[in-house]
Amino acid sequence: MRPDGNPTARALIALEVLQGRPGITAAGLAAELGVSDRAARRYVATLREAGIPIESERGPHGGYRVGRGLRLPPLVFTATEALGLVMAVLDGHHDAGDRTDPVGSALGTILRALPESVAAQAEAVRRSTAPAVDRSAARPDPATTSALVQACADRRRVRLGYRSEAGTEWTAEVDPWAVVVRHGRWYLLCHAHSSDARRAYRVDRVRGVERLAQTFTVPAGLDPVVELEEHLAVGWEFGCEVLVDAPLDRLARCVPRSLGRLTAVDEVSSRLVGSTSNPWWYAEQLAALPAPFRVVGGPELRHTTRELGARLLAATEPPVS
């Protein structure tokens, strides 16, 4: 501490030390502040005069501590710290998007600590969050996520370093439209200039973010959640086509867009067309449908659905004695 510092500033620093090290002695406080024991006691007296309850206890195990009833000063976060807290809450609490939930209300308080442009993007992330179903999903780096959220807010093009699931690495210049959280995974919805196409990149696989000078305009009427889910349903290596014995209006409420496009065949049946890189996962999702279905397209999906059905039937057999 500077010896010529403002006495009030010194007293506030002393309060910070007392909060961080309850039970600290006068000698310890003096050492932390770089002042004499007498000066340290004077700062404690100043805090008490200001109405802050500083308790003291004598003896070999005694010292100072902040008593009950202290109203803490306002918390101050950096944008990255605040967004990191938002990410942690969204990842671990299913009702974080509900403003009436205590955690959702507290999250709103954190969002108000962010700069306005970043807060708007973080609020958009909160609205687009679906409960996590995969607790082993990789968590993105808060600094990387913060850089992407800020680029979305500023409408600034970025150059990404990216690594695919197979380990292939490349760079891409993209217009970052939105960061969207779906089922425990964080995605960057963007326009990739190399392919002149819409892309969804996993944020946990982004290895670097470089802001560029170019700006962009988000497509009019873009719904990031709808766009992402439709994007995730197409372009994978295994095609899928399923007929479901249920009307479209009934299925639309329980079939996620990430499974594919759902259309009506007639008044009592519907068709689901999509693609996947994991036929086993797709078959498991179909097994949860509230209606009979038939796989009519995709040999890989037909095989995995048959195998999954056999496993489920075997699970109902009585144990062999």
Side-chain angles (χ1 to χ4, degrees), residues 1-226:
M1 175 182 293
R2 290 173 49 200
D4 59 342
N6 184 286
T8 302
R10 290 182 175 184
L12 291 175
I13 295 174
L15 174 60
E16 182 179 352
V17 174
L18 293 171
Q19 289 175 319
R21 294 183 57 188
I24 190 172
T25 63
L29 179 61
E32 286 285 339
L33 301 177
V35 299
S36 66
D37 290 9
R38 181 178 179 182
R41 293 190 182 94
R42 188 165 61 248
Y43 298 141
V44 171
T46 299
L47 293 172
R48 286 170 170 165
E49 290 173 0
I52 297 175
I54 306 297
E55 300 175 350
S56 59
E57 184 176 344
R58 297 182 180 275
H61 302 292
Y64 296 114
R65 68 184 66 249
V66 180
R68 296 181 180 274
L70 173 64
R71 184 176 181 179
L72 295 176
L75 300 178
V76 179
F77 301 106
T78 66
T80 300
E81 289 171 341
L83 185 60
L85 287 172
V86 172
M87 292 171 63
V89 174
L90 290 177
D91 187 50
H93 192 81
H94 288 191
D95 295 325
D98 182 358
R99 296 174 186 273
T100 63
D101 178 81
V103 173
S105 176
L107 183 59
T109 301
I110 295 174
L111 288 175
R112 288 190 289 274
L114 287 165
E116 184 176 355
S117 61
V118 179
Q121 282 294 312
E123 181 61 44
V125 169
R126 172 158 71 159
R127 290 195 303 268
S128 67
T129 299
V133 297
D134 182 3
R135 303 308 305 160
S136 64
R139 308 300 178 230
D141 174 58
T144 298
T145 310
S146 178
L148 292 173
V149 167
Q150 185 66 65
C152 292
D154 296 340
R155 303 291 189 261
R156 288 282 295 274
R157 186 179 300 179
V158 296
R159 180 178 293 114
L160 301 179
Y162 195 78
R163 177 183 296 169
S164 70
E165 185 175 8
T168 305
E169 297 189 11
W170 69 86
T171 60
E173 288 190 11
V174 306
D175 295 340
W177 291 341
V179 173
V180 184
V181 186
R182 300 310 286 168
H183 308 293
R185 296 194 184 277
W186 295 69
Y187 295 92
L188 174 68
L189 182 66
C190 61
H191 177 267
H193 287 274
S194 59
S195 57
D196 191 26
R198 298 184 180 190
R199 291 288 184 263
Y201 292 120
R202 286 263 299 274
V203 177
D204 60 283
R205 294 178 182 162
V206 174
R207 300 304 175 190
V209 180
E210 178 186 354
R211 286 170 62 97
L212 303 177
Q214 297 92 330
T215 59
F216 62 89
T217 301
V218 177
L222 177 73
D223 185 325
V225 176
V226 172

Side-chain angles (χ1 to χ4, degrees), residues 246 250-251 254 286 288-292:
R250 177 186 171 194
L251 285 179
C254 57
L286 293 178
L289 292 179

Side-chain angles (χ1 to χ4, degrees), residues 312-321:
L312 295 175
L313 285 174
T316 66
E317 296 294 332
V320 178
S321 58

